[in-house]
Amino acid sequence: MRSGTVRGQDRPAGWHVEAVTTDSPDQAEIRELTRSILADRAPDDRVARLDESETFDEEFYRHLGAAGLIGLDADPAAGADADPRHEIVVLEELGAGHTSMAVCLVVQYMALRLLSHYSGDDQRKRVLVPLAEGRGRVAFALSEEDGGTDIARAMRTKAVRDGAGWVLTGRKTWISGAATAGHAIVLARTSEETRSAIDGITMFLVPLDADGISVRVLDTAGIHGLDTCEVTFDDVRLDDSTVLGEAGAGFRQVIGTLNGERLNAAAVALGIARGALRSAIEYASQRQAFGRSIGSFQALQHGLVDGAVQVESARGLLTRAAEAAHAGDGRSEALSAMAKVAAADAATDITDTGMRVMGGAGYSREYPMQRYFRDARLYTFAPLTNEMLRNFIGERWLGLPRSY
């Protein structure tokens, strides 16, 4: 990274984008470990190569597991989750350098929570322990073609009783990592809805090599280092041991993890925003036009400054939301929703600014900006659309009438 001059001192261009002053000692240690593994095992050229070939980075995933960055400080045997303040540090750093892996870990952290709370002894030994150690992966299969935010009402995937087991039929789509994972947590309707649409849905832990399962990889605009799939279940026979938790209560069980998913999605989006801003600043500091650095142009500086304000604002919300989640504060859900909206907006705005700053270079696949630009768009609609989250915030934070 070349140096720019800040008040007469030589400092790397964009140096303050990487500065973090609010980390606890534990968070600082986790951040430094994640950055070190990224620098050693996933340099920019490797990430770009795997993104171009649409290949999952198995080796890097194993290194993260071996370093304890997947299991973190969770205690599955006691049903204790990892500290959300630690998960967001890992995910922000990965979002800034290896976005597809960050998206993968959002799913794995969610799977760890669900398995920790609802799996049996055999499932813990065969699936949960390898997952925590980076020796296995789990997909999460909820969305369907006709059901996203309203999936509980729209769900068509069903599991019906057949003797001592179940027969699973249906199709899930937009499922991250299903082509390369060993198992999937699948939600299926097992009885008709009664008082609420979320009742009568059961959560199953399904081996993805079971007879009757087919997986089709979808062609997506971004997150090329992690497969996004359609998974079809054609009379898949499951025994009772595949049920996670209580039959008929699966959707209610999942709801308890959705706040963590929003929080972690915000961390990845923040990482994308930070990585894109750093890249844009570096380029603006080096690129010459009209005999000087384009970073000296006032109009261009203002766009980058606005991006820096968005990054720091989103980080403040994310930190506050993670602290609330750790403390069991009832405001954590609304704060996590705010953090996700702020971070997603920051990521899309900054990557757009970065493309403009870099011009043709931003459009070139030789630079990471176009990847940040494509990947950031995921978080405008996942895990919930920003519009739906604004509805949620209006009701839960502002006390306005429910709008949906």
Side-chain angles (χ1 to χ4, degrees):
M1 187 185 300
R2 294 186 184 179
S3 294
T5 300
V6 182
R7 293 189 177 180
Q9 298 178 3
D10 286 339
R11 290 170 175 167
W15 70 279
H16 221 318
V17 175
E18 305 296 343
V20 177
T21 60
T22 60
D23 280 351
S24 69
D26 285 345
Q27 286 176 302
E29 183 179 350
I30 291 169
R31 191 180 299 277
E32 183 56 37
L33 176 59
T34 308
R35 287 182 176 178
S36 175
I37 295 174
L38 274 165
D40 292 344
R41 303 290 181 176
D44 288 346
D45 58 345
R46 176 182 174 84
V47 174
R49 185 170 65 253
L50 293 172
D51 187 76
E52 286 293 318
S53 64
E54 300 189 9
T55 302
F56 182 75
D57 198 342
E58 295 277 3
E59 181 182 348
F60 184 63
Y61 180 80
R62 289 194 297 271
H63 280 294
L64 291 174
L69 294 174
I70 297 176
L72 285 170
D73 49 359
D75 185 0
D81 298 329
D83 190 327
R85 299 172 300 178
H86 296 167
E87 290 183 349
I88 63 169
V89 169
V90 176
L91 293 169
E92 181 191 338
E93 292 305 320
L94 291 177
H98 202 325
T99 311
S100 292
M101 189 60 67
V103 175
C104 174
L105 256 62
V106 171
V107 178
Q108 304 318 304
Y109 287 155
M110 186 177 187
L112 280 165
R113 283 192 181 89
L114 290 170
L115 292 171
S116 176
H117 287 276
Y118 301 111
S119 62
D121 290 341
D122 181 59
Q123 292 167 328
R124 289 170 186 265
K125 180 179 179 181
R126 291 187 299 104
V127 182
L128 180 54
V129 172
L131 171 59
E133 295 176 352
R135 296 184 290 110
R137 293 199 310 286
V138 175
F140 181 70
L142 175 61
S143 299
E144 299 184 6
E145 184 177 6
D146 296 322
T149 304
D150 62 343
I151 183 59
R153 293 189 181 279
M155 190 174 293
R156 298 290 178 265
T157 300
K158 295 183 178 181
V160 298
R161 270 292 186 186
D162 183 40
W166 304 81
V167 177
L168 177 66
T169 58
R171 180 177 293 117
K172 299 291 185 179
T173 194
W174 311 119
I175 311 305
S176 298
T180 50
H183 291 78
I185 295 172
V186 181
L187 279 88
R189 183 160 291 284
T190 51
S191 63
E192 295 302 318
E193 61 184 77
T194 52
R195 63 186 178 90
S196 172
I198 67 175
D199 291 324
I201 294 173
T202 300
M203 187 165 52
F204 296 89
L205 180 62
V206 181
L208 284 169
D209 61 356
D211 291 340
I213 297 179
S214 59
V215 178
R216 181 172 71 91
V217 177
L218 303 174
D219 192 6
T220 59
I223 316 297
H224 284 172
L226 179 68
D227 50 281
T228 302
C229 305
E230 177 186 84
V231 186
T232 302
F233 306 96
D234 185 8
D235 292 337
V236 179
R237 295 193 169 274
L238 304 171
D239 58 45
D240 266 341
S241 68
T242 61
V243 174
L244 289 174
E246 180 185 347
F251 204 93
R252 291 188 181 275
Q253 293 166 177
V254 166
I255 286 174
T257 69
L258 294 181
N259 185 54
E261 186 185 21
R262 283 193 294 268
L263 188 66
N264 286 344
V268 180
L270 174 61
I272 295 171
R274 200 190 83 203
L277 182 60
R278 177 192 60 209
S279 294
I281 293 169
E282 289 177 4
Y283 184 85
S285 299
Q286 297 169 15
R287 179 74 162 89
Q288 298 288 310
F290 302 101
R292 56 181 175 151
S293 160
I294 65 171
S296 66
F297 299 158
Q298 188 180 70
L300 187 149
Q301 278 193 14
H302 287 183
L304 296 175
V305 167
D306 288 345
V309 171
Q310 285 186 286
V311 164
E312 295 308 318
S313 299
R315 177 176 285 119
L317 272 171
L318 179 65
T319 300
R320 189 176 170 194
E323 291 286 353
H326 176 71
D329 187 327
R331 298 173 297 174
S332 65
E333 291 188 352
L335 287 169
S336 294
M338 289 184 187
K340 192 268 186 181
V341 170
D345 285 351
T348 52
D349 290 350
I350 291 168
T351 54
D352 184 68
T353 296
M355 292 287 283
R356 294 169 185 268
V357 167
M358 295 181 67
Y363 210 58
S364 169
R365 290 184 177 181
E366 293 183 13
Y367 292 86
M369 187 59 71
Q370 48 79 32
R371 175 169 54 82
Y372 288 130
F373 181 86
R374 290 183 287 108
D375 289 352
R377 270 62 198 165
L378 172 68
Y379 288 110
T380 63
F381 58 84
L384 281 176
T385 67
N386 278 6
E387 291 74 20
M388 194 64 184
L389 287 175
R390 285 183 168 93
N391 294 338
F392 180 82
I393 295 164
E395 178 188 3
R396 296 293 185 91
W397 192 261
L398 302 183
L400 295 173
R402 187 171 186 175
S403 61
Y404 58 98

